[in-house]
Amino acid sequence: VGGTLYQLSKAGKLCVPAMNVNDSVTKQKFDNLYCCRESILDGLKRTTDVMFGGKQVVVCGYGEVGKGCCAALKALGAIVYITEIDPICALQACMDGFRVVKLCEIIRHVDVIITCTGNKNVVTRDQLDRMKNGSIVCNMGHSNTEIDVASLRTPELTWERVRSQVDHVIWPDGKRVILLAEGRLLNLSCSTVPTFVLSITATTQALALIELYNAPEGRYKQDVYLLPKKMDEYVASLHLATFDAHLTELSDEQAKYLGLNKNGPFKPNYYRYTHFNYYLLIIN
Amino acid sequence: VGGTLYQLSKAGKLCVPAMNVNDSVTKQKFDNLYCCRESILDGLKRTTDVMFGGKQVVVCGYGEVGKGCCAALKALGAIVYITEIDPICALQACMDGFRVVKLCEIIRHVDVIITCTGNKNVVTRDQLDRMKNGSIVCNMGHSNTEIDVASLRTPELTWERVRSQVDHVIWPDGKRVILLAEGRLLNLSCSTVPTFVLSITATTQALALIELYNAPEGRYKQDVYLLPKKMDEYVASLHLATFDAHLTELSDEQAKYLGLNKNGPFKPNYYRYTHFNYYLLIIN
Amino acid sequence: VGGTLYQLSKAGKLCVPAMNVNDSVTKQKFDNLYCCRESILDGLKRTTDVMFGGKQVVVCGYGEVGKGCCAALKALGAIVYITEIDPICALQACMDGFRVVKLCEIIRHVDVIITCTGNKNVVTRDQLDRMKNGSIVCNMGHSNTEIDVASLRTPELTWERVRSQVDHVIWPDGKRVILLAEGRLLNLSCSTVPTFVLSITATTQALALIELYNAPEGRYKQDVYLLPKKMDEYVASLHLATFDAHLTELSDEQAKYLGLNKNGPFKPNYYRYTHFNYYLLIIN
Amino acid sequence: VGGTLYQLSKAGKLCVPAMNVNDSVTKQKFDNLYCCRESILDGLKRTTDVMFGGKQVVVCGYGEVGKGCCAALKALGAIVYITEIDPICALQACMDGFRVVKLCEIIRHVDVIITCTGNKNVVTRDQLDRMKNGSIVCNMGHSNTEIDVASLRTPELTWERVRSQVDHVIWPDGKRVILLAEGRLLNLSCSTVPTFVLSITATTQALALIELYNAPEGRYKQDVYLLPKKMDEYVASLHLATFDAHLTELSDEQAKYLGLNKNGPFKPNYYRYTHFNYYLLIIN
């Protein structure tokens, strides 16, 4: 789903302007990182009552969702391993204190597998065959394809529905693997979404609609746009009062020094919410 | 310094291509977030032997450097407050468990002030006047202007050099404020830089030079460029062996599903090292 | 309830030997610290769907239960304050990075109050009157007396049951305070107990019964005893395989050096699961 | 050293009363857990400039010192393994999110070994032979016997002093192991002790002396005593102002309910700074 608009646009088939609100910073951070940090715990507890302390968990994918899941589970005493295809995210995982492994190295030992990749067949039947009795498999990624659930619907395996959203898949030797939400999104199926996150998302979407509606002729063509930085900042500022957070305002002198408008936007578009130190000037 | 190349480019005065290596992901994360997470502790210990547990600290600026400083200090038992001008970063600070305040609200109570803003006069003489006896002021930002050190060079204040890089500024009533590195960068002046970080930085710079040198005529104009994503990923991959980290490789089927080359780049240029869920299509 | 056996014993009214299994180390750490670290999150989520990130929470009491609650909430981005009567626990809270306050200092600002004291009337009507609209009050302590719930059953306040275990108490001005489990134990009323914790507790109790039953005449008098250290260690060792944890064994030479039996007990009875450095010899 | 007084006492050879101030709670927590949490980082940085992020570290012994070291290193992104002889401490390590291993399982992979056991020959020559090139070995325990340094003083190994307190021990094949402080205590040799910790220790010792001096004839015999709980609490209370911490006072009604004096002591002597829930009464 994610890439569809960009693919349409690339193929010249997008017939209206579109705004990619998912990639607004507030949307990403709240819907993905901060929300998943809580919903992974909530979803696992409500379905399985598992104790997190001491459990060995592998999280497939160290994007925002994976980062959120890992932070929460590590904080509660789980031992977390990461799989990654992207060396930058893998190096981030190392620096954050996680072993980066291939799934095959660890599959026999883990108590829980969580997929957060956006990819398909990240957990295959072959791997499910090697999991421990009583281990849990669930998906926090983007669709129901990350775990190859179809491969489990074969005659030699028995499915037992033990409660809503929880199936025991039983191997001929009696081994049980606990599959949550039949491989669909755990955070949507088995946990709740805080109203605060809904507010962030709804505000972002409403502002995007207002922007597209109000924009002067020609500002937006038949393409996919990111939410203007300033509106992204506006969404955030509307939610600060909830936390009794007090922004500092730039003095005129400081705004001039930084080359910024006192009311924002405060960052260039390519900013990843990071910091600048120095540049390398190269003469060739 | 940071913005100079972009300012030159904007003014049409940049006469050669330049590569903004500071904004490469690996460079940012390592030189800023991960390195500062350690050097703030190292710099404070070597200069002051302060115990972190229980100390009240205000960190000005919640960019990468600020995030690194806060993570380390919080983990060691300090109580950390944030000041921010940008509502997005302020909301991130809230969700990460920090109170966001104006400096004036907290200045009388804090034991340590750390500036990480890239701005000037973030800590003014007026604020320094209100600090507690024995409090520490230091700078982890981009230059020596964040703390208004010049304002402390007045006749009524006495400076006492107690050891290298450590001055006691003494008020007429005997109050002492401990100023580190005369307001210059603590991480450069008072702590060491791990060889691992130097390796990341040097590799990034070398690859940028090689790219500019080897690029066919016309690929780069007289402008400022970000390091191509693929080279950024290459820098990261070269450093994974140090951590015995094992990357997962995409299958042909998965690469096709994701629309990616199996060798990367794995992310679009606008990616902030986050995750995609869905898009909002708007018809106007 | 807790002190009753010791009170009976002190009064000479205890007519049988009793074993204080609650103060066995494994029991305490699992039932209290480690279990509550998870059940506070579980209980709050299932009843209120509250987002933890950025919330201001006050935890009354920094014993094992309080420590568990604080660790979990802090890890998920809440800002946690502590109230304490005991200066040692208060100092521990400081070093662990929490502000220690009186409830009256903070009551108007907090989003959640959690009592973990073993005391009565820790949250009074007067304090409930000053809480914010929408704030949550719950009890993780030892009985239903920590919050003065009786004081809320007055004509001017309306109670509205919004779901099982969740009441909105409504003030005349419309303010709502969310009371969980009518002030009874949240961890028993609104969350589940992992089977692992039940196993620890049941094993401890069973071993205590076996010990009292098998003990030779005269080993135990009409008094309250702590579980022998060696049995406490045995309970722990039975549960290590769950985590694939591998104990190191003492060599003969090491056992002799330490003055220990190779099979334990490994610690003196007064040990608080801490470390020995040196002693102060005083001649008077 | 630690056990000597108790051994003297047991042997009937202690000719004066002695107070075991090391086992006072404040002393233990500050000198051991909280101080070591900081000094392990300080000691390693000052001697080796090692980056903690991503490093694989094994900590031998999960007592207070080990717990402090592990907490700090984990927080800074190291991957920490534990070795333990005591199943209770091992189970604590599991619940705190650490793999519990035998040293032989992990020795070839770790970047740093830290001993915190109070035992001897915890790291043997045989194990040092199997360490990686560039790995670091140091001791945070009670004496210089934890690492078998004597076994490294053999003709086939070359020692190279690279800076104060840092030796490279060089194997015939060129492998270097970095030995800190020749196996003596890292925290005493290579880091500083915060004045705050010294104050806690000195206050505890002074109060113990005053107590022994002032005690009426007969209160103390020729034995080893723990500091009276109330004095332990007094030491803590004297240090709360540093953190602007505000104790809550018991009401008369609450003190009566708890069976406590309003001025303390607040805990029974056997308290491990934990919480009480319920007791098991057994009739035999």
Side-chain angles (χ1 to χ4, degrees):
Chain A
V1 290
T4 313
L5 286 180
Y6 283 100
Q7 285 162 10
L8 281 177
S9 170
K10 215 171 171 181
K13 293 182 180 162
L14 190 68
C15 54
V16 292
M19 207 158 273
N20 169 358
V21 291
N22 185 63
D23 285 335
S24 74
V25 182
T26 43
K27 171 77 183 57
Q28 277 188 329
K29 295 286 179 186
F30 279 85
D31 250 35
N32 298 341
L33 192 149
Y34 296 122
C35 193
C36 290
R37 184 175 65 179
E38 306 198 4
S39 58
I40 184 62
L41 303 179
D42 192 19
L44 285 173
K45 277 287 188 204
R46 289 195 207 221
T47 51
T48 68
D49 301 324
V50 66
M51 190 172 202
F52 302 121
K55 287 291 180 302
Q56 297 198 54
V57 180
V58 61
V59 174
C60 302
Y62 199 62
E64 290 287 289
V65 172
K67 285 179 176 81
C69 293
C70 290
L73 290 164
K74 185 181 185 179
L76 291 174
I79 296 157
V80 182
Y81 300 87
I82 302 292
T83 70
E84 249 301 338
I85 61 162
D86 180 334
I88 295 179
C89 294
L91 204 55
Q92 283 186 287
C94 292
M95 297 307 293
D96 293 342
F98 301 105
R99 294 294 317 274
V100 178
V101 298
K102 296 192 183 194
L103 194 49
C104 59
E105 296 174 54
I106 204 78
I107 189 83
R108 287 182 189 283
H109 302 287
V110 294
D111 300 292
V112 186
I113 295 185
I114 302 164
T115 56
C116 320
T117 66
N119 201 347
K120 66 185 279 193
N121 292 347
V122 173
V123 183
T124 63
R125 170 64 190 270
D126 183 51
Q127 288 160 333
L128 291 158
D129 284 345
R130 280 180 284 155
M131 295 191 72
K132 282 197 305 190
N133 182 42
S135 53
I136 298 169
V137 187
C138 66
N139 173 31
M140 294 281 290
H142 78 129
S143 73
N144 63 348
T145 60
E146 305 213 6
I147 302 161
D148 187 2
V149 174
S151 74
L152 293 173
R153 300 198 186 278
T154 53
E156 77 277 20
L157 302 185
T158 311
W159 285 54
E160 186 181 323
R161 167 67 44 118
V162 297
R163 69 173 80 163
S164 171
Q165 307 288 357
V166 184
D167 288 289
H168 282 189
V169 182
I170 309 171
W171 267 250
D173 64 355
K175 180 184 91 169
R176 285 163 183 254
V177 167
I178 302 164
L179 177 66
L180 303 184
E182 299 182 58
R184 293 186 309 275
L185 284 172
L186 182 73
N187 41 336
L188 298 186
S189 307
C190 310
S191 76
T192 61
V193 178
T195 53
F196 186 79
V197 172
L198 291 179
S199 172
I200 292 271
T201 302
T203 307
T204 305
Q205 292 177 345
L207 284 174
L209 281 165
I210 292 168
E211 168 69 11
L212 284 177
Y213 185 82
N214 282 341
E217 189 80 24
R219 178 182 292 172
Y220 298 108
K221 310 203 183 88
Q222 291 165 7
D223 207 346
V224 185
Y225 294 89
L226 290 169
L227 194 68
K229 175 73 62 181
K230 195 164 176 175
M231 300 184 77
D232 213 349
E233 293 176 353
Y234 184 56
V235 174
S237 71
L238 289 171
H239 288 85
L240 285 175
T242 309
F243 302 111
D244 193 28
H246 306 157
L247 273 191
T248 299
E249 283 175 39
L250 290 175
S251 69
D252 292 333
E253 184 201 15
Q254 289 176 323
K256 192 176 162 200
Y257 177 76
L258 296 170
L260 292 176
N261 186 306
K262 284 174 70 172
N263 301 314
F266 297 103
K267 300 289 188 306
N269 280 325
Y270 62 82
Y271 186 71
R272 288 185 211 89
Y273 291 80
T274 55
H275 178 92
F276 303 82
N277 268 340
Y278 54 86
Y279 294 85
L280 174 67
L281 177 63
I282 296 168
I283 301 178
N284 69 348
Chain B
V1 289
T4 313
L5 285 180
Y6 283 101
Q7 285 161 10
L8 281 177
S9 169
K10 216 172 171 180
K13 293 182 182 163
L14 190 67
C15 55
V16 292
M19 209 158 272
N20 169 357
V21 291
N22 185 63
D23 286 334
S24 74
V25 182
T26 43
K27 170 73 183 57
Q28 278 189 328
K29 294 287 179 187
F30 279 85
D31 250 34
N32 299 341
L33 193 149
Y34 295 122
C35 192
C36 290
R37 183 174 67 179
E38 306 199 4
S39 58
I40 184 63
L41 303 179
D42 191 18
L44 285 172
K45 276 288 188 206
R46 289 194 207 222
T47 51
T48 68
D49 301 325
V50 66
M51 189 173 202
F52 303 122
K55 287 292 179 303
Q56 296 197 55
V57 180
V58 61
V59 174
C60 301
Y62 198 64
E64 290 287 291
V65 171
K67 286 179 176 79
C69 292
C70 290
L73 291 164
K74 185 181 187 181
L76 292 176
I79 296 157
V80 182
Y81 301 87
I82 301 291
T83 71
E84 248 302 337
I85 61 162
D86 179 334
I88 296 179
C89 295
L91 205 54
Q92 283 186 286
C94 291
M95 297 308 292
D96 292 344
F98 301 104
R99 294 293 318 274
V100 177
V101 299
K102 296 191 184 195
L103 194 50
C104 59
E105 297 174 55
I106 204 76
I107 189 84
R108 287 183 189 284
H109 303 287
V110 295
D111 300 293
V112 185
I113 295 185
I114 302 164
T115 56
C116 322
T117 67
N119 201 347
K120 68 186 276 194
N121 292 346
V122 173
V123 183
T124 63
R125 170 64 190 270
D126 183 52
Q127 288 160 331
L128 291 158
D129 283 345
R130 281 179 281 157
M131 294 192 72
K132 283 197 304 190
N133 182 40
S135 52
I136 298 168
V137 187
C138 65
N139 172 32
M140 294 282 289
H142 77 128
S143 72
N144 63 348
T145 60
E146 306 214 5
I147 303 161
D148 187 2
V149 173
S151 75
L152 293 173
R153 301 199 185 278
T154 54
E156 78 277 19
L157 302 185
T158 310
W159 286 54
E160 185 180 325
R161 167 68 44 120
V162 296
R163 68 173 84 161
S164 171
Q165 307 287 359
V166 184
D167 288 290
H168 283 191
V169 182
I170 309 170
W171 267 250
D173 65 356
K175 180 184 89 169
R176 287 164 183 252
V177 167
I178 302 163
L179 176 66
L180 303 184
E182 299 180 58
R184 293 186 309 276
L185 286 172
L186 183 72
N187 40 336
L188 298 186
S189 306
C190 310
S191 75
T192 60
V193 178
T195 52
F196 187 77
V197 172
L198 291 179
S199 171
I200 292 271
T201 302
T203 308
T204 305
Q205 292 177 344
L207 284 174
L209 280 166
I210 292 168
E211 167 70 10
L212 285 176
Y213 185 82
N214 283 342
E217 189 81 25
R219 179 182 290 172
Y220 296 109
K221 310 201 184 90
Q222 290 165 8
D223 207 347
V224 185
Y225 295 90
L226 289 170
L227 194 69
K229 175 72 65 182
K230 194 162 175 176
M231 299 182 79
D232 214 349
E233 293 176 353
Y234 184 56
V235 174
S237 70
L238 289 171
H239 289 85
L240 285 174
T242 308
F243 302 111
D244 193 28
H246 306 156
L247 273 190
T248 299
E249 282 174 40
L250 289 174
S251 68
D252 292 333
E253 184 200 16
Q254 289 176 325
K256 192 177 163 198
Y257 177 76
L258 295 171
L260 292 176
N261 185 306
K262 286 173 70 171
N263 300 314
F266 297 103
K267 299 289 190 305
N269 280 325
Y270 62 84
Y271 186 70
R272 289 186 210 87
Y273 289 78
T274 54
H275 177 94
F276 301 83
N277 270 339
Y278 54 86
Y279 293 84
L280 174 68
L281 176 62
I282 295 169
I283 301 179
N284 69 348
Chain C
V1 288
T4 313
L5 285 180
Y6 283 101
Q7 284 161 10
L8 280 177
S9 169
K10 214 171 171 182
K13 292 182 182 165
L14 189 68
C15 56
V16 292
M19 209 159 272
N20 169 358
V21 290
N22 185 63
D23 286 334
S24 73
V25 182
T26 44
K27 170 75 182 57
Q28 277 187 330
K29 293 287 177 185
F30 280 85
D31 251 34
N32 299 341
L33 192 149
Y34 295 122
C35 193
C36 290
R37 184 175 66 177
E38 305 198 5
S39 58
I40 184 63
L41 303 179
D42 191 19
L44 286 172
K45 275 287 186 205
R46 289 195 207 223
T47 51
T48 68
D49 301 324
V50 68
M51 190 172 201
F52 302 121
K55 288 290 180 302
Q56 297 198 54
V57 180
V58 61
V59 173
C60 302
Y62 199 64
E64 290 288 289
V65 171
K67 287 179 176 78
C69 292
C70 290
L73 291 164
K74 184 181 187 181
L76 291 175
I79 296 157
V80 182
Y81 301 88
I82 302 292
T83 70
E84 249 301 338
I85 61 163
D86 179 333
I88 295 179
C89 295
L91 204 55
Q92 283 185 287
C94 291
M95 297 307 293
D96 292 343
F98 301 105
R99 293 293 319 273
V100 177
V101 298
K102 295 191 185 194
L103 195 49
C104 59
E105 296 174 55
I106 204 76
I107 189 85
R108 287 182 189 284
H109 303 287
V110 294
D111 300 292
V112 185
I113 295 185
I114 302 164
T115 56
C116 321
T117 66
N119 201 347
K120 68 186 278 194
N121 292 346
V122 173
V123 183
T124 64
R125 170 63 191 271
D126 183 51
Q127 288 160 331
L128 291 158
D129 283 346
R130 280 179 283 156
M131 293 191 74
K132 283 196 304 190
N133 182 41
S135 54
I136 298 168
V137 187
C138 66
N139 172 32
M140 294 282 289
H142 78 127
S143 72
N144 63 349
T145 59
E146 306 213 6
I147 302 161
D148 187 3
V149 174
S151 74
L152 293 173
R153 301 197 185 278
T154 53
E156 78 278 19
L157 302 185
T158 310
W159 286 54
E160 186 181 323
R161 166 68 44 120
V162 296
R163 69 173 81 163
S164 171
Q165 307 287 359
V166 183
D167 289 289
H168 283 191
V169 182
I170 309 170
W171 267 251
D173 65 357
K175 179 184 91 169
R176 287 164 182 251
V177 167
I178 302 164
L179 177 66
L180 303 184
E182 299 181 59
R184 292 186 309 276
L185 285 172
L186 182 74
N187 42 336
L188 298 186
S189 305
C190 309
S191 77
T192 60
V193 178
T195 52
F196 186 78
V197 172
L198 290 179
S199 172
I200 292 272
T201 303
T203 308
T204 305
Q205 292 177 344
L207 284 175
L209 280 165
I210 292 167
E211 167 70 11
L212 284 176
Y213 186 82
N214 282 342
E217 188 81 23
R219 177 182 290 173
Y220 297 108
K221 311 205 181 84
Q222 290 164 9
D223 207 346
V224 185
Y225 294 90
L226 290 170
L227 193 69
K229 176 71 65 181
K230 194 164 176 176
M231 300 182 78
D232 214 350
E233 293 176 354
Y234 184 55
V235 174
S237 70
L238 289 172
H239 289 84
L240 285 175
T242 309
F243 301 111
D244 193 28
H246 306 157
L247 273 189
T248 299
E249 282 175 41
L250 290 174
S251 68
D252 292 333
E253 184 200 15
Q254 289 176 323
K256 191 176 165 200
Y257 177 76
L258 295 171
L260 292 177
N261 185 307
K262 285 172 72 171
N263 301 314
F266 298 101
K267 300 289 188 306
N269 280 325
Y270 62 84
Y271 186 70
R272 292 186 207 87
Y273 289 80
T274 54
H275 177 92
F276 302 83
N277 269 339
Y278 55 84
Y279 293 85
L280 175 66
L281 177 64
I282 295 169
I283 300 179
N284 70 348
Chain D
V1 289
T4 314
L5 285 180
Y6 283 101
Q7 284 161 10
L8 280 177
S9 169
K10 214 171 172 182
K13 292 182 181 165
L14 190 68
C15 55
V16 291
M19 207 156 278
N20 169 358
V21 291
N22 185 63
D23 286 334
S24 74
V25 182
T26 43
K27 171 74 182 58
Q28 276 189 330
K29 294 285 178 186
F30 279 84
D31 251 35
N32 298 340
L33 192 149
Y34 295 122
C35 193
C36 290
R37 184 175 66 177
E38 306 198 2
S39 58
I40 184 63
L41 304 180
D42 192 17
L44 285 171
K45 275 287 188 206
R46 289 195 205 220
T47 51
T48 68
D49 301 323
V50 67
M51 189 171 202
F52 303 122
K55 287 293 180 302
Q56 296 197 55
V57 180
V58 60
V59 174
C60 301
Y62 199 63
E64 290 288 289
V65 171
K67 286 180 176 80
C69 293
C70 289
L73 290 165
K74 185 182 185 180
L76 291 175
I79 296 158
V80 182
Y81 300 87
I82 302 292
T83 69
E84 249 300 339
I85 60 162
D86 178 334
I88 295 179
C89 294
L91 205 55
Q92 284 185 286
C94 290
M95 298 307 292
D96 292 343
F98 300 105
R99 293 294 318 274
V100 177
V101 298
K102 296 191 183 194
L103 194 49
C104 58
E105 296 174 55
I106 204 75
I107 190 81
R108 286 183 188 283
H109 302 287
V110 294
D111 300 292
V112 186
I113 295 185
I114 302 164
T115 56
C116 321
T117 66
N119 201 346
K120 67 186 278 193
N121 292 347
V122 172
V123 183
T124 63
R125 169 66 190 268
D126 182 51
Q127 288 160 332
L128 291 158
D129 283 345
R130 280 179 284 157
M131 294 191 74
K132 283 197 304 191
N133 182 40
S135 53
I136 299 168
V137 187
C138 65
N139 172 32
M140 293 283 288
H142 78 127
S143 72
N144 63 349
T145 59
E146 307 214 4
I147 302 160
D148 187 2
V149 174
S151 75
L152 294 172
R153 300 198 185 278
T154 53
E156 78 277 20
L157 303 185
T158 310
W159 286 54
E160 185 181 324
R161 167 68 43 119
V162 296
R163 68 173 81 161
S164 171
Q165 306 288 357
V166 183
D167 288 289
H168 282 191
V169 182
I170 309 171
W171 268 251
D173 64 357
K175 180 184 90 169
R176 286 164 182 253
V177 167
I178 303 164
L179 176 66
L180 303 184
E182 298 180 59
R184 293 186 309 275
L185 285 172
L186 183 74
N187 42 336
L188 298 186
S189 306
C190 309
S191 76
T192 60
V193 178
T195 53
F196 187 78
V197 171
L198 291 179
S199 172
I200 292 271
T201 302
T203 308
T204 305
Q205 292 177 344
L207 284 175
L209 281 165
I210 292 168
E211 167 69 12
L212 284 176
Y213 185 83
N214 282 343
E217 188 82 24
R219 178 182 291 173
Y220 297 108
K221 309 204 184 87
Q222 290 164 8
D223 207 346
V224 185
Y225 294 90
L226 290 169
L227 194 69
K229 176 72 64 181
K230 196 164 175 174
M231 299 182 79
D232 213 350
E233 293 176 354
Y234 184 56
V235 174
S237 70
L238 289 172
H239 288 85
L240 286 174
T242 308
F243 301 111
D244 194 28
H246 305 156
L247 273 190
T248 300
E249 282 175 39
L250 289 174
S251 69
D252 292 335
E253 184 200 15
Q254 289 176 325
K256 191 177 163 200
Y257 176 76
L258 295 171
L260 292 176
N261 185 306
K262 286 172 70 171
N263 300 315
F266 297 103
K267 300 290 188 306
N269 280 325
Y270 63 83
Y271 186 72
R272 288 185 211 88
Y273 290 79
T274 54
H275 178 91
F276 302 84
N277 270 338
Y278 54 85
Y279 293 85
L280 174 68
L281 177 63
I282 295 168
I283 301 178
N284 68 349

